[in-house]
Amino acid sequence: MPLTETARFNTHLQNGNRFQIPNIVRWRYKLEVTQPLNVEVQIIGVMCVREKFLTKMRKDGRITIPALTITMLKQNAPDLKQYAMEVTISPG
């Protein structure tokens, strides 16, 4: 059963502009790697820094943020690894 509702969690940026979806979120919402996801990333502590993109989850539960989205986020927060992010995923 694919994701049918919106899920929200906090995380930090890892190497390669990726973040990991927590296991509890993947299990609760039964996320599948073939399902397209609408992802919204908001940097916590910086006002009005929010970007959306469409992607799929990798087998290891990680999502790679596209390069253009990273560029847009870095306009307001040059070093993204210092900030926590609020991630919202919804069905695509």
Side-chain angles (χ1 to χ4, degrees):
M1 175 195 317
L3 179 72
T4 57
E5 58 187 271
T6 300
R8 182 172 286 141
F9 57 92
N10 293 337
T11 189
H12 66 279
L13 196 62
Q14 298 175 348
N15 290 336
N17 297 329
R18 296 184 184 111
F19 62 86
Q20 176 123 18
I21 299 175
N23 283 338
I24 193 76
V25 173
R26 293 194 321 242
W27 294 338
R28 179 176 179 198
Y29 296 103
K30 297 177 177 61
L31 292 178
E32 299 174 357
V33 295
T34 59
Q35 180 181 14
L37 301 170
N38 285 319
V39 180
E40 180 179 329
V41 178
Q42 179 179 1
I43 298 176
I44 297 173
V46 181
M47 299 295 284
C48 301
V49 179
R50 179 178 299 192
E51 292 294 326
K52 295 180 183 182
F53 58 95
L54 183 67
T55 190
K56 289 184 182 180
M57 178 180 69
R58 294 175 12 161
K59 290 181 184 179
D60 61 359
R62 287 184 172 85
I63 290 179
T64 302
I65 301 175
L68 180 60
T69 304
I70 289 292
T71 304
M72 300 295 286
L73 290 171
K74 283 186 175 182
Q75 288 180 352
N76 296 313
D79 188 12
L80 295 176
K81 292 194 178 192
Q82 292 181 355
Y83 296 98
M85 298 186 303
E86 181 179 342
V87 178
T88 306
I89 55 175
S90 57

